[in-house]
Amino acid sequence: MDDRTLRHARVLVDHCTDVAPEDDVEIRAPTAAEDLVVALYEALGRRGARATTVWRNPRATRAYAREMYPDDYRPKEHRVAALVETDVVILIKGARNAAETSDVNADARRAASRAKEPLLRERLDTRWVITQHPTPADAQRADLSTAAWRSLVYDAVDRDWAAMRERQARVADRLAAADEVRLVAGDDTDLRFDVAGMDAYNDAGRENMPGGEVATVPAVDGVEGEVRFDHPLRRGGREAAGIRLSFAEGRVVDWAAERGADVLDSLLETDEGASRVGELGIGTNEGVDRVTGNVLFDEKAAGTVHVALGDALSECVPDDRTGNESAVHADLIRDASADARIAFDGETVYRDGEFLIREESD
């Protein structure tokens, strides 16, 4: 087995979830990620934890969805009950065919997303992490050789996470203290976010591996302006590109896509919260040196920003505030490496891919 896969497993168990001997651990993985699952079982065995695996099979998912009536989707209460007794959840991505579910109709997709919401809520109460196992199908989607894709994945994962957390802390502190964030990029993006009273998320590889972002959440009605995303949105093996959104009082009031408009339409129609913003994030991981079409990596790439439609990051919503709620959380990526700036309360703190915030002693 590749030594990098073994290191990946150790990062997930030791750093991301800090598994203890008494923990019940659930691994959710596609069959294409068998090597990482085996490596995880080795790491969990050394910890003395109890492990179980829920295998995902996109071919089976497709077959099921193509026969189901949308009205027949309902929450899987037996899975929810199992999660109540679960301490740690490790979710793994990795495809044999990245477009396997691309011909599932939009009504079934929306119904499936809504039915999964109780499962999502229960999982968020565990210690959890989502990660990626490199497969040839995902390499092809990234337009990379299998070897190059594996190197990108492992370079992004094998970082000094303690140093990254410390480096990002001063940005997160400033963001948590801000009342308004403004994002301006090119001549087609100018967004204002009301973030007063919200916290900031310093992602140094806990819930996401790879990590590498600083993020916050706007008020439910606190987004105004226009944005164009210059990287595609991929959902269920299908793609929408050239997305433009206009916001008023926090809600998407006008939208368009140069390609795959029905993918965007389906997302926005999932529920009321799908047309509102659940996150604004700024990528910081220098190990991700290109956008590949894999959102787990693209949103962390240094020189990008992302706006997520749907469910709010719970880490950023204090008990006395309200965040957006939705069955979806869809990150849309915008390049910010050139002709772009971000301001906190009117002060430019980020320009063309670089933070301008320095420590007091700098």
Side-chain angles (χ1 to χ4, degrees), residues 115-137:
K116 290 176 183 175
E117 190 167 5
L119 203 62
L120 169 65
R121 301 293 175 198
E122 198 62 51
R123 188 255 293 169
L124 290 175
D125 284 338
T126 71
R127 302 198 308 281
W128 62 273
V129 61
I130 185 169
T131 194
Q132 177 82 39
H133 182 66
T135 66

Side-chain angles (χ1 to χ4, degrees), residues 242-362:
I243 293 174
R244 295 178 182 268
L245 303 177
S246 295
F247 290 88
E249 297 182 349
R251 185 173 179 272
V252 176
V253 294
D254 191 28
W255 65 94
E258 296 168 9
R259 185 176 75 254
D262 58 326
V263 177
L264 178 60
D265 293 345
S266 177
L267 169 65
L268 292 170
E269 292 166 3
T270 301
D271 52 34
E272 171 62 26
S275 62
R276 297 181 182 274
V277 173
E279 177 192 359
L280 167 67
I282 308 167
T284 63
N285 191 328
E286 295 179 353
V288 185
D289 61 0
R290 71 192 74 192
V291 171
T292 64
N294 186 309
V295 70
L296 181 62
F297 289 76
D298 294 349
E299 69 172 1
K300 312 305 189 321
T304 67
V305 296
H306 55 278
V307 176
L309 295 175
D311 207 47
L313 283 180
S314 59
E315 296 90 343
C316 296
V317 184
D319 291 341
D320 61 345
R321 301 303 305 273
T322 299
N324 190 43
E325 294 186 358
S326 175
V328 297
H329 181 95
D331 295 287
L332 294 95
I333 313 295
R334 167 80 201 203
D335 181 73
S337 63
D339 196 19
R341 64 183 178 89
I342 298 171
F344 297 169
D345 295 331
E347 178 188 352
T348 298
V349 297
Y350 178 100
R351 187 182 295 279
D352 299 344
E354 298 287 341
F355 282 105
L356 308 179
I357 296 171
R358 298 287 184 265
E359 296 183 59
E360 293 298 324
S361 60
D362 285 359

Side-chain angles (χ1 to χ4, degrees), residues 97-103 109 141 234-239:
N97 177 356
E100 186 64 60
T101 59
S102 61
D103 54 359
R109 291 179 190 282
R141 185 169 64 174
R234 289 187 170 98
R235 291 182 63 80
R238 302 186 64 222
E239 181 177 288

